[in-house]
Amino acid sequence: MKNATRYLSASLLVLALFAASAFAAYDATAIMKKSHLSYYYAGNDGITEVNMTLTNKRGKERKREFTMLRLDLKEGGKQDYYTYFRKPSDVARLTFMVHKIPDGNDLRWIYIPSIDLVKPISADDKNSSFVGSDFTYEDVSGRHWTEDNHTFKGVSQLNGKPVFVIESVPKKPYKGFAKKISYIDTTNYLPLKEEYFNKRGKMIRLFTANKIETIDGIPTVMVRTMENLKKGSKTTVAFSKISYNVGLNKGIFTERYLKNPPRKYIK
Amino acid sequence: MIVLVLLLLAVTPTFAQSDLNISGFLQSLYGGRIDKNNPTNTEQTASETRLQLRLEHFGDRGEFFGRLDFYYDGADSSQYDWELREGYMKFRMGNNFDFKVGRQILTWGTGDLIFINDVFAKDYYSLFIGRDDQYLKAPQNALRMEYYNPLGAFSLVWTPRFEPNRLPRGERLSYFNPMADSGRGAIVGTAISPSYYFDPPVPEPKFKNSEIATRYQRRVGNFNTALYFYHGFYKNPFGFDPVKMTAVYPKLNLYGASLRGAVFSGVLWLEGGYYDSRQDTNGDNPFMPNSSVSGLIGFERQVASDLTVNAQWQLSYMLDYDTYKAQQQQTNPQGYIRDEVYHLLTSRITQKLNSETIILSGFVFYSPSDADVYALVSAEYKYTDEISLKVGSNIFDGKHQSTDFGQFAKNDNVYLKMTYGFQ
């Protein structure tokens, strides 16, 4: 009898350990961190051509074309972004730079070549639209995973792919969303779908990763869409000519290059 | 000079891998004044069709950019004209030197439509009739050299031939002439007399009359700090030549500093400058402006997702004020005598709507000391990526007819502008 009890408690302990490790694998915060890093911090740096199509609720389309350079200064931490606009014509040659500071206010600068004007822009509102699209500044450079509380909701299937379903709620009240449900690919940790809800529980925005390719060994979302369900508009972003780990230098993300685009990377 | 040319030849970039881009726009601008009894030749403040062509070419070590405007202007008499707005080459020498040589638009300093250390040519005439922002600056033929090292960035702009600000000339926009009305001063235009066509002589084309503008810039924490020095002339013809009976550009040295950075969830800027009027060092020359010290503070913040607001306060302190006041009382007792300290308050509000396809904008200058005001309002609709439509208005008012904005009180106008951009 004593032995039996001992065996039972031992096997319970083993079971508990298993359960714990299984639970650890499904730690929602760890998944969101990994997802954030694979989506926003791929490689040490990256260059891509971006084609944006903005469609309003009446189906009218507008295009934006730009080249984007990114440099990670710290994995999961500070990043620098550089954007060179090509289209439409009224913003052609304009450059835009962001020093992303995850635990503070980002620093943003714009350079308007037609009047040779360098101007810092107040960057208080990360939830404001990026170039009039349905993506916000935060969608472009990422909302840090530590700003939300994450709950693991289960493993599911999305278009035949197994996904983690994670619910995220901002730690501090945030006007961008009250709740977000993310569907994260269980193999490459890329977000395949994100549903944003307001505080009344109504879905306000919907993100979809439409096409994924492996570039330089790094799984990359090549086409993505953000739908604004409130406005009935959507924005599709297609990446092309992506290269990772090209050896971008911190010096590029300065006023000198804001005024003189690095033609080695931007033709 | 020869050394410089050789230097340029030595680094002439080879366009091995190259790209050529052509783009531009076609634009129509129509404006009419809403004041009666303006002594100008026309009621139309603008009636122009403009074709701008932009051409750019990149090589491995350098690049070329050209911007050429062709326009038809029918506000007064019909005329065709063209202007090379920009035409420069850019190249790098070593790792630390950047050069930009040719006809170019230049800007520095921190103010929003207030310029203390930015002594590059402005085109106020274009601003007043509703042309695009890019026309606020007039091009200069200049050589810009920038030297970068870990201690900061040093810029030097040499403009061999003085380039003045572009101001209303009396044909379409009237202005204040202190000699008119038997020396009492009046708002004049060419409708009163063709002699009121305002075109003061610029300093002679001598090397000693060239302009040198320098800046040393450095980041300190969150702030971009800068020191400035300029040797040249006032960009507005503030002086008077009693022999030739004409306005002139007085000699100027300018020493200044600025600071700008992100604080309090917005952007804050501070700038100051000492204007050394070299032809009136003691303030006793009644025909030349007194030296002055000017300061500016400004703050901008995004108050809602698509709403940005800023405010600025500029102070300008005239040196040797008592001498100025005594002279004014003696020569023109009825005329306006400005205060020792000039104040200017401004505010800009920009609201973007409908996914940034509608842009509403308002900018107001108000001087409590000069009691005058200038307001610019506009609404722009981007109908497609190519076509945009803009309507706007420029309103001036003032208690006195000789002040900066008060003199333009009869030039209030509304305008309509359509642009087709292509590339």
Side-chain angles (χ1 to χ4, degrees):
Chain A
M1 193 60 196
K2 247 181 184 173
N3 269 355
T5 324
R6 197 170 289 165
Y7 270 115
L8 192 67
S9 46
S11 48
L12 272 173
L13 191 74
V14 170
L15 207 70
L17 281 172
F18 261 109
S21 69
F23 219 90
Y26 292 145
D27 174 351
T29 305
I31 292 171
M32 289 309 276
K33 179 183 175 183
K34 212 168 164 187
S35 174
H36 189 87
L37 296 182
S38 52
Y39 188 64
Y40 291 107
Y41 291 82
N44 297 320
D45 61 40
I47 301 179
T48 179
E49 295 294 322
V50 183
N51 276 273
M52 234 180 202
T53 307
L54 290 62
T55 313
N56 75 6
K57 63 172 179 234
R58 290 183 301 279
K60 194 163 157 182
E61 284 190 357
R62 288 167 202 274
K63 306 267 189 200
R64 304 275 179 274
E65 259 182 60
F66 47 92
T67 304
M68 208 165 197
L69 276 57
R70 166 182 58 86
L71 174 66
D72 300 348
L73 301 172
K74 184 170 180 276
E75 188 72 357
K78 287 186 179 179
Q79 285 181 315
D80 288 349
Y81 287 84
Y82 185 108
T83 307
Y84 176 84
F85 285 91
R86 298 176 185 281
K87 280 182 181 171
S89 166
D90 62 339
V91 294
R93 301 172 68 243
L94 190 143
T95 52
F96 177 65
M97 185 167 75
V98 178
H99 288 178
K100 175 179 140 188
I101 302 161
D103 52 358
N105 274 338
D106 295 351
L107 299 171
R108 298 180 198 160
W109 294 265
I110 194 168
Y111 175 66
I112 304 167
S114 58
I115 41 171
D116 187 39
L117 178 70
V118 175
K119 194 176 178 298
I121 322 181
S122 56
D124 191 30
D125 191 353
K126 296 181 181 185
N127 190 45
S128 56
S129 159
F130 180 71
V131 297
S133 77
D134 296 301
F135 287 89
T136 62
Y137 279 94
E138 193 173 71
D139 295 328
V140 176
S141 61
R143 179 175 169 84
H144 208 256
W145 70 89
T146 54
E147 291 185 71
D148 304 324
N149 289 316
H150 308 286
T151 318
F152 183 76
K153 289 292 188 182
V155 178
S156 178
Q157 292 268 321
L158 187 72
N159 302 327
K161 282 184 189 163
V163 288
F164 298 120
V165 183
I166 311 277
E167 182 184 290
S168 308
V169 175
K171 288 177 180 169
K172 280 187 260 172
Y174 178 56
K175 68 176 175 179
F177 63 90
K179 186 178 87 177
K180 177 176 80 169
I181 307 279
S182 307
Y183 301 81
I184 313 283
D185 191 314
T186 57
T187 51
N188 59 28
Y189 283 82
L190 289 176
L192 300 183
K193 191 165 101 167
E194 290 169 346
E195 300 160 342
Y196 294 82
F197 297 87
N198 66 11
K199 53 177 186 266
R200 286 190 298 276
K202 201 175 161 202
M203 203 201 294
I204 42 173
R205 296 201 308 152
L206 174 65
F207 167 89
T208 318
N210 310 88
K211 188 176 156 198
I212 292 167
E213 277 176 23
T214 302
I215 308 281
D216 301 341
I218 296 170
T220 305
V221 180
M222 300 298 283
V223 180
R224 61 195 69 186
T225 304
M226 183 68 83
E227 282 177 66
N228 186 323
L229 303 166
K230 227 162 73 182
K231 282 161 64 180
S233 56
K234 74 169 184 187
T235 301
T236 300
V237 175
F239 283 7
S240 59
K241 296 183 192 163
I242 295 186
S243 37
Y244 290 114
N245 299 320
V246 287
L248 293 181
N249 178 320
K250 172 96 182 99
I252 287 173
F253 301 88
T254 58
E255 188 176 319
R256 181 185 190 186
Y257 284 87
L258 193 66
K259 293 196 295 187
N260 304 291
R263 296 297 179 194
K264 191 177 167 190
Y265 309 110
I266 298 167
K267 288 279 185 195
Chain B
M1 192 61 205
I2 293 163
V3 176
L4 201 74
V5 171
L6 287 175
L7 215 68
L8 292 184
L9 288 174
V11 294
T12 300
T14 49
F15 297 119
Q17 287 180 347
S18 64
D19 291 274
L20 183 68
N21 295 331
I22 300 174
S23 59
F25 62 76
L26 184 83
Q27 187 173 70
S28 290
L29 171 68
Y30 303 98
R33 64 175 158 82
I34 47 185
D35 287 299
K36 290 199 167 66
N37 305 321
N38 199 14
T40 54
N41 284 349
T42 171
E43 284 192 334
Q44 297 180 10
T45 47
S47 177
E48 60 190 33
T49 299
R50 180 182 295 272
L51 172 67
Q52 178 173 99
L53 290 179
R54 297 191 296 254
L55 191 67
E56 72 187 323
H57 186 282
F58 312 129
D60 283 343
R61 311 262 329 247
E63 62 186 270
F64 151 85
F65 182 73
R67 194 144 60 97
L68 186 59
D69 276 21
F70 301 92
Y71 53 95
Y72 169 76
D73 185 336
D76 187 0
S77 54
S78 308
Q79 58 185 62
Y80 296 90
D81 216 335
W82 62 276
E83 182 177 28
L84 184 65
R85 297 286 308 174
E86 283 184 282
Y88 60 77
M89 62 189 110
K90 272 205 301 203
F91 54 88
R92 182 158 293 179
M93 279 175 73
N95 285 323
N96 302 89
F97 284 97
D98 287 351
F99 287 87
K100 189 176 177 185
V101 182
R103 203 157 164 79
Q104 54 189 296
I105 304 282
L106 292 151
T107 297
W108 65 37
T110 61
D112 185 3
L113 293 181
I114 293 182
F115 305 98
I116 292 179
N117 291 296
D118 182 330
V119 275
F120 303 115
K122 272 74 122 187
D123 186 345
Y124 288 105
Y125 172 71
S126 288
L127 178 72
F128 294 167
I129 64 168
R131 285 189 186 135
D132 282 354
D133 287 346
Q134 62 169 282
Y135 293 96
L136 170 66
K137 284 293 180 111
Q140 301 201 176
N141 289 314
L143 186 152
R144 186 180 81 183
M145 185 199 82
E146 300 201 304
Y147 172 70
Y148 294 87
N149 73 20
L151 291 175
F154 180 79
S155 306
L156 177 100
V157 177
W158 178 52
T159 308
R161 185 81 210 268
F162 173 76
E163 188 70 48
N165 286 346
R166 297 180 185 180
L167 300 167
R169 297 187 147 181
E171 282 177 307
R172 298 171 202 182
L173 302 182
S174 54
Y175 64 94
F176 179 78
N177 183 324
M179 301 310 292
D181 193 16
S182 316
R184 281 188 288 272
I187 288 174
V188 299
T190 50
I192 301 173
S193 157
S195 66
Y196 287 130
Y197 180 72
F198 188 64
D199 189 18
V202 292
E204 294 176 312
K206 291 180 176 168
F207 279 111
K208 66 167 187 168
N209 287 342
S210 61
E211 298 176 84
I212 304 250
T214 60
R215 177 181 67 171
Y216 168 72
Q217 191 172 233
R218 188 196 160 102
R219 265 194 92 69
V220 180
N222 252 1
F223 290 93
N224 210 345
T225 61
L227 296 172
Y228 308 84
F229 170 69
Y230 168 79
H231 177 82
F233 300 84
Y234 282 89
K235 292 290 200 167
N236 283 350
F238 288 131
F240 186 75
D241 182 336
V243 179
K244 292 179 183 155
M245 294 292 281
T246 174
V248 291
Y249 297 91
K251 291 177 180 167
L252 171 71
N253 276 351
L254 169 58
Y255 310 82
S258 73
L259 178 150
R260 181 164 62 179
V263 282
F264 313 123
S265 305
V267 177
L268 175 79
W269 57 94
L270 283 163
E271 188 168 339
Y274 164 55
Y275 282 67
D276 175 14
S277 181
R278 292 190 279 142
Q279 284 161 286
D280 190 15
T281 44
N282 301 318
D284 49 9
N285 183 342
F287 302 113
M288 289 293 160
N290 286 16
S291 298
S292 61
V293 176
S294 193
L296 165 72
I297 181 168
F299 184 69
E300 179 167 289
R301 215 188 141 161
Q302 194 181 5
V303 293
S305 285
D306 292 309
L307 180 64
T308 305
V309 177
N310 78 22
Q312 299 181 112
W313 176 29
Q314 186 194 10
L315 284 161
S316 195
Y317 178 80
M318 188 194 282
L319 302 181
D320 303 306
Y321 178 75
D322 293 341
T323 318
Y324 156 84
K325 197 174 173 182
Q327 284 163 356
Q328 290 292 309
Q329 279 165 341
Q330 197 183 357
T331 56
N332 191 1
Q334 278 94 46
Y336 172 64
I337 298 173
R338 54 155 281 187
D339 293 351
E340 185 169 18
V341 183
Y342 170 81
H343 295 266
L344 182 63
L345 302 166
T346 79
S347 179
R348 181 192 288 275
I349 298 176
T350 310
Q351 168 85 63
K352 294 175 177 174
L353 298 167
N354 199 26
S355 302
E356 299 186 11
T357 55
I358 296 172
I359 300 163
L360 306 176
S361 169
F363 193 105
V364 181
F365 294 89
Y366 166 63
S367 170
S369 53
D370 269 3
D372 63 358
V373 65
Y374 171 34
L376 306 92
V377 289
S378 67
E380 184 176 13
Y381 174 50
K382 295 183 175 174
Y383 176 59
T384 68
D385 283 338
E386 291 81 25
I387 299 172
S388 70
L389 182 73
K390 190 171 183 177
V391 291
S393 182
N394 292 281
I395 305 291
F396 306 84
D397 210 352
K399 191 174 163 193
H400 312 283
Q401 56 179 12
S402 64
T403 58
D404 285 356
F405 303 120
Q407 64 173 315
F408 301 122
K410 291 180 176 176
N411 292 320
D412 297 353
N413 62 75
V414 290
Y415 63 87
L416 166 76
K417 187 162 60 182
M418 277 190 86
T419 309
Y420 185 99
F422 60 89
Q423 62 191 142

